[in-house]
Amino acid sequence: MKEIGVGIVGFGTVGAGVVEGLLKEASLITRRCGVSIALRGIADLDIKTPRGVDVPPGLLTTDALALAAREDVDVVVELIGGTGIAYTVIKQALEAGKAVVTANKKLLAEKGEELFALARLHGVDLYFGASVGGGIPIIRSLRDGLVANEIHAVYGILNGTCNYILTRMSREGSDFEAVLADAQRLGYAEANPSLDIDGFDTAHKICILASLAYGVSIPLEEIAVQGIRGLNPVDVRYADELGYVIKLLAVCKACGNKRLEVRVNPTLVPKTHMLASVSDVFNAVLVNGSMTGDTLYYGKGAGRAATASAVISDIASVARHRVSGAPRAMEPLPAIATTDYALQRPEDCISRFYVRLMVREACGMVGRFATLLGNHGVSIFAASQHEATDAQCAAGYVPVVILTQPARTGDLVAALTEITEQGIVQSMPLFMCML
């Protein structure tokens, strides 16, 4: 039986899970793949700290580049993360004709076009099934399972930390900072949670899904990204009263005229919608295809075992290709830059909106707001006044919530800016998209 040599670069949480899976399930993997996958080495700067897995002697090293360059390593598995040494390791491996498996969403979002071109140039595999959704097979589904579908839209809950926080806030009415502290204590959030709660982890992932669904390279800096930092519990409560839950939603959808809307922001999702029931640290991706309609992919989006399972799946696919003598680069469908989609400007994106205004005098204000919003092409669907807190009463303000008809984002911002400048609200009104 043929043997494929694997080098693991990065021995953190996921790396340890991959090593454990390859060692523990070696016979199962061999039986299912028809090829023996041999672990040649494991590289990490820290090879002393216990990882909860028994590593055979001689496998650990601190020299990642040397491991990736070894002649007996056919597949380099990059699990370091970031865009520094991880980029160097992958680039070196591809140039040497080695297959690469990675879970590095940030690197793929920022340098994926370059790395896929390098993989094509050298005729080798570059697999990334664990980069989005952990153990959820969304990458394979978009690449292979939905190959006959024009993708109309992709909606994703792609960050377990944010979903856990929003679930707790919705169930308990808890304050954002208090739930964040709990998430950090439980290990669901990093000590520095900025990448998660400010939306950029989710943005990296939707850029990857957009490249698969539409064959375009999406510059991260050109999409609208808003996280959940400081979300007010009052908006969570008002959304609940209106029949919605708030989710940090990644959206990628075709808008007509070959325009593509890509954004990440807190979004009001109807309680009757499939995504509304995705709770705690779970992830989900809803894909609307021309032939399938809606399909939902749900599961654990992170964690040692779930992500390691996706990495090992990619290793097995590479091994099969190597044994058959037909390696191939796993590239987006169609290849990047072969479609003529253009990115929609954030201000041109169309949505219904939830708007909360702190109004100095509620009497007659809804009619005035309707006029000001209408002047900018924004129509009101519903409006309601809510009971003010003691502090709000003392300051002379009451909350008014408005739901709009579908409107252009730029028009809504212009209308709210005019309302603010007239001094009839406490500050620039808060607004969120609605699904």
Side-chain angles (χ1 to χ4, degrees):
M1 181 176 290
K2 290 190 176 181
E3 187 174 85
I4 297 295
V6 174
I8 309 291
V9 180
F11 197 35
T13 300
V14 175
V18 172
V19 171
E20 181 179 35
L22 289 176
L23 295 175
K24 184 178 179 181
E25 305 296 348
S27 61
L28 175 65
I29 295 169
T30 299
R31 186 169 69 251
R32 288 180 172 174
C33 296
V35 57
S36 176
I37 298 175
L39 185 58
R40 304 296 193 199
I42 308 160
D44 199 279
L45 292 178
D46 175 12
I47 58 174
K48 301 294 185 183
T49 301
R51 297 327 201 267
V53 55
D54 293 328
V55 178
L59 289 184
L60 291 170
T61 177
T62 58
D63 194 336
L65 291 175
L67 174 62
R70 279 171 47 176
E71 289 188 4
D72 62 345
V73 171
D74 304 294
V75 184
V76 176
V77 181
E78 182 279 309
L79 299 171
I80 306 169
T83 57
I85 184 63
Y87 168 76
T88 304
V89 167
I90 292 177
K91 186 171 184 289
Q92 173 185 289
L94 294 174
E95 289 174 340
K98 298 178 185 290
V100 171
V101 172
T102 182
N104 195 334
K105 54 193 172 287
K106 179 176 173 60
L107 181 61
L108 291 174
E110 296 182 10
K111 295 184 178 293
E113 189 170 4
E114 173 192 345
L115 294 176
F116 283 115
L118 196 59
R120 288 193 293 272
L121 177 65
H122 293 279
V124 292
D125 293 292
L126 173 53
Y127 268 59
F128 52 102
S131 63
V132 180
I136 304 172
I138 182 60
I139 299 293
R140 290 181 185 274
S141 296
L142 281 173
R143 185 183 183 276
D144 297 320
L146 300 174
V147 66
N149 286 257
E150 288 286 345
I151 304 301
H152 298 317
V154 178
Y155 301 95
I157 296 172
L158 298 172
N159 186 273
T161 298
C162 289
N163 205 42
Y164 172 81
I165 291 172
L166 292 172
T167 300
R168 286 276 308 275
M169 291 181 71
S170 179
R171 286 176 180 167
E172 305 164 10
S174 303
D175 179 73
F176 172 83
E177 294 294 342
V179 179
L180 173 60
D182 279 348
Q184 291 171 316
R185 179 177 55 82
L186 294 168
Y188 295 150
E190 301 289 342
N192 179 358
S194 299
L195 191 65
D196 292 324
I197 65 174
D198 291 330
F200 292 103
D201 173 79
T202 299
H204 290 141
K205 295 171 183 175
I206 197 62
C207 285
I208 293 171
L209 296 184
S211 72
L212 285 163
Y214 297 98
V216 293
S217 179
I218 303 293
L220 186 66
E221 65 275 9
E222 293 184 19
I223 67 174
V225 180
Q226 179 187 0
I228 64 168
R229 185 188 293 271
L231 182 69
N232 196 323
V234 74
D235 294 304
V236 177
R237 177 163 60 86
Y238 291 164
D240 176 69
E241 293 172 358
L242 291 165
Y244 294 83
V245 294
I246 297 176
K247 298 291 184 183
L248 182 65
L249 206 63
V251 175
C252 178
K253 64 179 180 179
C255 303
N257 298 320
K258 287 295 184 178
R259 309 297 291 183
L260 196 64
E261 175 183 335
V262 184
R263 59 178 169 83
V264 174
N265 45 29
T267 302
L268 274 71
V269 178
K271 291 180 182 179
T272 55
H273 195 279
M274 287 188 286
L275 291 174
S277 59
V278 180
S279 303
D280 298 311
V281 296
F282 284 86
N283 284 191
V285 182
L286 177 68
V287 182
N288 182 267
S290 58
M291 298 180 71
T292 60
D294 287 342
T295 54
L296 183 69
Y297 306 85
Y298 169 86
K300 292 183 178 179
R304 173 167 163 155
T307 308
S309 175
V311 171
I312 294 172
S313 173
D314 282 350
I315 295 172
S317 293
V318 172
R320 289 191 187 102
H321 301 155
R322 287 270 164 160
V323 169
S324 70
R328 57 189 172 88
M330 183 178 179
E331 58 188 10
L333 286 175
I336 284 177
T338 63
T339 62
D340 54 357
Y341 277 100
L343 191 62
Q344 184 92 297
R345 297 185 306 168
E347 60 268 31
D348 289 331
C349 292
I350 305 295
S351 175
R352 293 179 60 216
F353 292 96
Y354 162 99
V355 183
R356 175 170 56 81
L357 312 95
M358 299 306 299
V359 183
R360 189 178 299 279
E361 296 177 1
C363 184
M365 280 300 172
V366 171
R368 187 171 177 183
F369 291 146
T371 299
L372 292 170
L373 289 166
N375 289 341
H376 292 273
V378 180
S379 298
I380 292 178
F381 172 75
S384 58
Q385 178 183 329
H386 291 261
E387 185 177 354
T389 64
D390 292 340
Q392 291 167 345
C393 287
Y397 292 95
V398 296
V400 171
V401 170
I402 290 174
L403 305 183
T404 76
Q405 299 282 12
R408 179 178 169 274
T409 303
D411 293 336
L412 178 69
V413 171
L416 296 181
T417 299
E418 181 179 347
I419 288 170
T420 304
E421 290 173 348
Q422 291 195 9
I424 55 178
V425 293
Q426 189 177 32
S427 58
M428 180 68 175
L430 174 142
F431 67 92
M432 287 185 280
C433 292
M434 301 175 67
L435 189 60

